[in-house]
């Protein structure tokens, strides 16, 4: 890593879908080692921002910098190798594979290359598989999921699936992890576990997080800084104490005739 003061920086990001301006001139930065929250009402443009940062959507305007390198428009798989991972609002597990197999698939990302290598360098491939297996077991152990190692992922609870998603990010050396609603569909007990694991990954493994979440307790618990989006723009950013008392935020969530 360079001496950059921000690990992620977005400048004037914008995305239009036809006539709809989903994101309009969003700028913010995320410091290395920090946990930043991204909140806002449904349709505010949060997921679209993540998609542009993670290379899944091309911005209509604006730039994305990772470690001071301009990565605007760089595809997801190349960002992945630069240490940027993301999870999805709806968990993306393979239902008919076990927890262990799900993590191993996430670890064996370059299938094409492996297929080639297996002909010419079988020993190297076997060693790599051993390494992937070890990493997968380490992730399950870290996340407290060893008891579901051989369970089909489709049978896991909502919370266990979210923990498995965190496990996917542990199959590579992540620097920046974007979490899209890690608390969605998680029961209150496992919610505490998800929060605890995010904090441990931050403190013990040095992951920097940017988290979209509707659960304000999760955000208040974990995030040093929270960015509030509404209608594609940044309404304000600050600590949760500042966010909580901001009239504009209260208006964005509860304004109009919705109470
Ligand atoms: N692929 C798409 N095509 C057209 N409109 C989209 C697409 N993705 C998102 N939108 C629209 O962009 C706006 C922002 O969506 P999104 O980023 O998913 O919001 P959030 O994650 O904050 O709920 C919404 O009005 C949504 O309907
Ligand atoms: Mg969303």
């Amino acid at each position: 890593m360079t001496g950059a003061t921000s690990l992620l920086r977005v400048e004037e990001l914008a995305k239009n879908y036809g006539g709809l301006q989903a994101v309009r001139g969003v700028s913010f930065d995320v410091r290395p080692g920090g946990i930043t929250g991204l909140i806002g009402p449904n349709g505010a443009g949060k997921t679209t921002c993540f998609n542009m940062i993670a290379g899944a959507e091309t911005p209509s305007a604006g730039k994305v910098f990772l470690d001071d390198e301009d990565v605007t428009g760089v595809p997801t798989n190349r960002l992945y190798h630069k240490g940027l991972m993301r999870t999805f609002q709806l968990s993306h597990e393979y239902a008919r594979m076990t927890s262990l197999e799900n993590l191993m698939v996430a670890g064996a990302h370059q299938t094409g290359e492996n297929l080639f290598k297996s002909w010419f360098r079988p020993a190297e491939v076997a060693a790599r598989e051993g390494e992937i297996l070890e990493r997968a077991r380490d992730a399950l152990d870290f996340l407290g999921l060893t008891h579901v190692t051989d369970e089909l992922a489709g049978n896991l609870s909502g919370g266990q699936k979210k923990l498995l998603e965190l496990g996917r990010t542990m199959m590579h050396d992540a620097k920046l992890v974007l979490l899209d609603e890690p608390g969605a569909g998680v029961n209150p007990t496992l919610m505490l576990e998800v929060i605890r694991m995010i904090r441990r990954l931050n403190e013990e493994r040095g992951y920097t997080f940017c988290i979209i979440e509707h659960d304000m307790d999760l955000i208040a618990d974990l995030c040093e800084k929270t960015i509030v989006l509404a209608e594609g723009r940044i309404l304000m950013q600050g600590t949760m104490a500042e966010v909580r008392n901001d009239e504009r935020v209260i208006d964005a969530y509860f304004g109009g005739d919705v109470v």
Side-chain angles (χ1 to χ4, degrees):
M1 203 185 294
T2 64
T5 49
S6 56
L7 179 55
L8 169 71
R9 194 168 85 249
V10 304
E11 287 180 3
E12 295 294 324
L13 264 194
K15 182 72 186 176
N16 304 327
Y17 294 111
L20 175 80
Q21 295 178 297
V23 174
R24 334 184 208 187
V26 165
S27 304
F28 65 87
D29 62 359
V30 171
R31 76 163 182 89
I35 305 183
T36 302
L38 191 56
I39 67 171
N42 275 332
K46 304 181 297 294
T47 297
T48 304
C49 281
F50 266 24
N51 286 341
M52 289 190 281
I53 294 166
E57 300 252 27
T58 311
S60 305
K63 294 215 171 292
V64 180
F65 296 88
L66 188 63
D67 245 347
D68 277 346
E69 182 188 345
D70 186 346
V71 294
T72 317
V74 171
T76 307
N77 63 333
R78 279 193 40 221
L79 291 173
Y80 187 73
H81 290 288
K82 291 179 187 291
L84 189 148
M85 318 262 154
R86 62 96 54 96
T87 67
F88 295 89
Q89 197 165 340
L90 299 171
S91 302
H92 270 198
E93 77 284 344
Y94 296 104
R96 291 184 188 168
M97 286 185 175
T98 67
S99 305
L100 183 72
E101 286 164 349
N102 265 275
L103 294 185
M104 290 192 69
V105 166
H109 208 243
Q110 306 131 304
T111 337
E113 189 195 344
N114 280 353
L115 225 56
F116 177 79
K117 272 194 186 159
S118 63
W119 271 93
F120 297 100
R121 302 201 201 287
E124 204 176 293
V125 170
R128 173 93 184 105
E129 272 172 14
E131 199 182 294
I132 292 170
L133 178 63
E134 198 176 314
R135 241 183 210 260
R137 290 203 181 279
D138 168 67
L140 290 169
D141 186 41
F142 185 96
L143 296 166
L145 291 176
T146 49
H147 60 297
V148 292
T149 299
D150 300 315
E151 186 64 69
L152 295 182
N155 295 339
L156 301 182
S157 73
Q160 288 170 331
K161 285 178 185 172
K162 291 291 181 179
L163 290 171
L164 195 63
E165 285 265 306
L166 286 178
R168 288 198 308 115
T169 71
M170 297 174 70
M171 294 306 295
H172 283 270
D173 293 315
K175 279 199 283 195
L176 174 64
V177 181
L178 310 178
L179 301 179
D180 198 345
E181 302 199 24
V186 179
N187 74 42
T189 314
L190 268 179
M191 188 69 155
L192 292 177
E193 196 61 7
V194 169
I195 291 174
R196 196 169 73 88
M197 288 307 164
I198 294 170
R199 178 170 292 114
R200 280 188 63 201
L201 286 169
N202 174 249
E203 288 176 356
E204 296 172 28
R205 307 254 165 147
Y207 289 17
T208 300
F209 283 102
C210 191
I211 307 178
I212 295 176
E213 182 53 56
H214 285 295
D215 185 295
M216 296 296 165
D217 291 334
L218 181 146
I219 294 285
D221 206 333
L222 288 173
C223 301
E224 53 177 16
K225 176 172 96 172
T226 298
I227 297 158
V228 188
L229 276 186
E231 295 176 357
R233 292 185 208 280
I234 294 187
L235 209 53
M236 68 155 309
Q237 39 188 314
T239 64
M240 265 315 262
E242 289 162 347
V243 167
R244 189 170 273 145
N245 293 312
D246 196 294
E247 287 295 330
R248 291 166 298 179
V249 178
I250 297 165
D251 256 16
Y253 274 94
F254 304 112
D257 30 62
V258 190
V259 176

